[in-house]
Amino acid sequence: MKTIDELLSEGVTGKRVFVRADLNVPLDGTTITDDGRIRAVVPTVKALADAGARVIVASHLGRPKGAPDPAFSLAPAAARLGELLGAEVAFAEDTVGTAAESTVAGLADGRVAVIENLRFNAGETSKDDAERAAFADKLAALADVYVGDGFGAVHRKHASVYDLPKKLPHYAGYLIATEVGVLKKLTDDVQRPYVVALGGAKVSDKLAVIDQLLGKADRLLIGGGMAYTFLKAKGYEVGISLLQEDQIPAVEEYMERAEKNGVELVLPVDVLVSSEFPDLKTKAPANPTTVAADAIPADQEGLDIGPETRKLYASKLADAATVFWNGPMGVFEHPDYAEGTKAVAQALVDAPGFTVVGGGDSAAAVRTLGFDENAFGHISTGGGASLEYLEGKTLPGLAALED
């Protein structure tokens, strides 16, 4: 795929450059609680603006139902982008209507505008090819060139991700180029030992990537809510812990295959349990109990890996040449259940090799728990996109850029 450096070498002064970013940041009302994704696109936007382009930044935020919804406005993200750029960023209150047209028409060379949430238009996410293409045509009318830099959305066959680049000269931004380069290190040129730590709530979300990793990784460390399906598959009592009973046969098959392939599949040996889920708003003390992984009481729920598991997982990461981590080890949003996730993050910091934090909740946890982002080899902006790449799937947004 062509990169932004090639575009810049061709000259962009006065050109309208449409940057498909990922500004899908978490909001508390209108307050951004984690601006990582906005910061990630700044190098691309700044390079284009500094070169004299008229930059139009577009993104989705949340899951509005194809119509305007103030709760999902990109206005806070536009304001934060302006702060990070140190320059005023214009904001259009629609995507392809009169506000967007007049805002773009009023851009001077080297200036930046953000248009409103793409998902306020049903055509953005439509499964109907014609409807998506019609919306992409309207977006294309705003610009001369397309730069794809929203890695967190490249696994979606959406109008701004898949259809629009086919209608304009297209290039990959710095973020996408970096993300793809990192993922190739996890698939094509892996340094060993290769250790993967997987957490998060649902094992069903990770089955396809586990299937692929059983042929590539040296060790798989399992934590988070998904671990209890593995523990149940071993015949353990898991109480009222998160459990996907329908996935037990698949998990049993994967455990057998791991043993057959010589892949070390490591499960928790102890867990923190409680009879009720913690209050994440007040952060009131939860007072959990630590029990062995095979001794979870019937009326208790596992909410984090225990201290012995933290030590075990740290030891399994200590010699890793390559690490990929996706998914927290517990309910890290509450201080009483954050230690497992914190221990894995610290083990990545201490590991001698190349470490990748696979986006989503893991990236949020790293920042929430106060880690220096530069202590990791790479923090991805796209959890779902990273997983689908590792699963071997074709990502529509990358395929469109490669055409």
Side-chain angles (χ1 to χ4, degrees), residues 113-348:
V114 173
I115 61 176
E116 187 54 286
N117 192 335
L118 292 162
R119 291 186 183 175
F120 286 0
N121 299 266
E124 169 67 2
T125 59
S126 176
K127 296 193 184 309
D128 181 87
D129 291 348
E131 186 178 8
R132 269 199 337 273
F135 181 53
D137 282 334
K138 292 178 181 178
L139 292 172
L142 296 173
D144 305 305
V145 181
Y146 177 93
V147 171
D149 215 32
F151 180 73
V154 294
H155 58 315
R156 306 295 186 194
K157 193 176 182 180
H158 291 170
S160 66
V161 175
Y162 178 73
D163 302 272
L164 181 57
K166 297 181 177 183
K167 300 176 184 297
L168 294 170
H170 47 270
Y171 302 81
Y174 290 127
L175 175 62
I176 279 187
T178 298
E179 295 272 15
V180 171
V182 165
L183 288 168
K184 284 183 177 177
K185 287 186 179 181
L186 300 178
T187 52
D188 300 340
D189 185 25
V190 181
Q191 301 299 304
R192 299 185 181 279
Y194 178 21
V195 185
V196 177
L198 296 176
K202 295 182 179 179
V203 69
S204 56
D205 293 341
K206 305 289 197 308
L207 283 179
V209 76
I210 292 172
D211 184 59
Q212 286 293 315
L213 290 169
L214 287 174
K216 292 188 172 78
D218 297 300
R219 294 177 204 134
L220 285 176
L221 316 181
I222 306 294
M226 63 183 286
Y228 301 101
T229 301
F230 279 85
L231 294 174
K232 186 71 172 179
K234 288 192 72 170
Y236 296 171
E237 169 64 59
V238 297
I240 57 172
S241 305
L242 191 61
L243 175 65
Q244 289 186 284
E245 294 225 35
D246 61 323
Q247 302 298 332
I248 289 175
V251 166
E252 289 174 335
E253 192 270 322
Y254 286 171
M255 289 194 294
E256 290 173 9
R257 185 140 57 95
E259 186 174 2
K260 189 178 189 180
N261 291 355
V263 176
E264 192 178 359
L265 198 155
V266 189
L267 299 176
V269 294
D270 62 345
V271 296
L272 270 60
V273 299
S274 176
S275 59
E276 57 185 16
F277 198 83
D279 189 322
L280 300 183
K281 286 199 171 179
T282 67
K283 306 285 174 49
N287 301 315
T289 303
T290 301
V291 299
D294 61 354
I296 299 174
D299 64 344
Q300 303 278 300
E301 177 178 12
L303 295 165
D304 194 15
I305 57 173
E308 293 305 315
T309 304
R310 292 172 219 153
K311 292 178 191 173
L312 173 65
Y313 285 12
S315 72
K316 298 297 182 183
L317 290 159
D319 65 344
T322 305
V323 182
F324 176 73
W325 169 35
N326 181 282
M329 295 292 108
V331 186
F332 74 92
E333 300 90 342
H334 192 285
D336 287 352
Y337 300 105
E339 292 303 316
T341 300
K342 193 182 292 184
V344 168
Q346 186 61 53
L348 262 71

Side-chain angles (χ1 to χ4, degrees), residues 1-3 6 170-173 176-177 180 397-399 401-403:
M1 64 180 73
K2 290 184 180 179
T3 68
E6 293 173 78
H170 47 270
Y171 302 81
I176 279 187
V180 171
L398 296 184
L401 291 174
E402 287 167 353
D403 284 348

Side-chain angles (χ1 to χ4, degrees), residues 23-25 60-64 72 117 119:
L23 309 181
N24 184 28
V25 291
H60 69 288
L61 191 152
R63 296 175 182 261
F72 298 107
N117 192 335
R119 291 186 183 175

